[in-house]
Amino acid sequence: MKQFILPLLALVFTGLGVCISGCSNAQQTEANPEINASQVVVDNIMARRSIRKYKDQPVSQEILDKIVECGINAPNGMNQQCYEVKVVNDPASAAFLAENLNGLYKAPVYMFIAAKNNYDMSRIDVGLLAENVCLSAWAYGVGSINLGMPVRALYEKPELLAKLGFSEGHDLCLVLALGYADEAPDAKPRVAERVQYITIAE
């Protein structure tokens, strides 16, 4: 799927200046025209890592708003925007969730994303939104990780799931943790052979 997502993200990152106008990479490109804007995007994609250890440092509302804006500017089917996003960034609530939800790394921000269940492509839209969030967050120096285990855990705790307040007809399908990284993991190997260039027409 990423072979389709990454070119789209490159367009999003270069075309939506409002989303990245405050990040250091964008400022460097503006200050030094010799820096290739496309290379900035590629470098950001290749440098991004999943983070499991976070500093006890809040993410400012201004940066969080920009990250969210980048997220919802992701491509989506027929612009239906068949998702809902709930962001938890107050310290007390974040700490409560970390203590009471299996598989949730301790982070200052959690993003819960639900897909509308009457549209068969809505989960793809959620994935595109999440990728935009992760990459724009990294551009601002904010780490992230996509999590599935807390989704299963929440369905086993319906009273806690209800507190998220998703509208009827929306199913929680992804949780993101965000915050400033307290680790620097190495890149894990990728299997290039999973991608093949093929010819259909003779």
Side-chain angles (χ1 to χ4, degrees):
M1 183 81 181
K2 276 197 173 181
Q3 63 265 39
F4 301 108
I5 294 175
L6 294 181
L8 290 172
L9 287 171
L11 290 174
V12 170
F13 266 69
T14 55
L16 293 173
V18 65
C19 290
I20 61 172
S21 60
C23 76
S24 59
N25 284 341
Q27 289 173 339
Q28 290 171 8
T29 304
E30 200 171 289
N32 186 354
E34 292 183 4
I35 296 177
N36 186 297
S38 297
Q39 192 60 48
V40 170
V41 175
V42 172
D43 288 347
N44 187 66
I45 291 170
M46 298 304 291
R48 190 259 164 198
R49 302 283 180 267
S50 291
I51 301 300
R52 293 169 174 81
K53 295 180 181 178
Y54 298 91
K55 295 178 180 178
D56 186 17
Q57 176 183 349
V59 179
S60 74
Q61 190 66 49
E62 181 183 7
I63 289 178
L64 196 53
D65 287 344
K66 289 181 180 293
I67 291 169
V68 169
E69 185 177 11
C70 285
I72 63 174
N73 271 282
N76 64 90
M78 296 178 287
N79 198 35
Q80 294 186 82
Q81 302 171 60
C82 290
Y83 48 72
E84 287 188 357
V85 182
K86 307 292 182 177
V87 182
V88 176
N89 66 328
D90 73 278
S93 295
F96 175 83
L97 289 169
E99 292 172 6
N100 291 277
L101 207 54
N102 289 336
L104 198 62
Y105 296 99
K106 188 176 181 181
V109 181
Y110 298 112
M111 193 175 292
F112 299 85
I113 312 175
K116 200 168 185 179
N117 59 25
N118 65 354
Y119 176 50
D120 59 350
M121 297 294 172
S122 60
R123 288 176 179 255
I124 294 175
D125 294 345
V126 167
L128 290 165
L129 184 156
E131 187 79 345
N132 264 28
V133 166
C134 291
L135 291 174
S136 59
W138 195 254
Y140 284 106
V142 177
S144 62
I145 188 169
N146 292 271
L147 299 167
M149 188 181 294
V151 175
R152 299 189 192 100
L154 274 166
Y155 279 111
E156 294 173 0
K157 296 184 176 184
E159 72 287 349
L160 187 53
L161 178 60
K163 288 185 177 182
L164 295 176
F166 286 113
S167 300
E168 185 176 351
H170 288 77
D171 297 329
L172 176 67
C173 60
L174 187 63
V175 179
L176 274 69
L178 297 101
Y180 293 100
D182 198 21
E183 62 173 353
D186 292 330
K188 295 181 179 179
R190 296 297 194 264
V191 182
E193 290 74 19
R194 299 280 173 83
V195 180
Q196 300 174 352
Y197 292 88
I198 62 172
T199 300
I200 301 297
E202 296 184 3

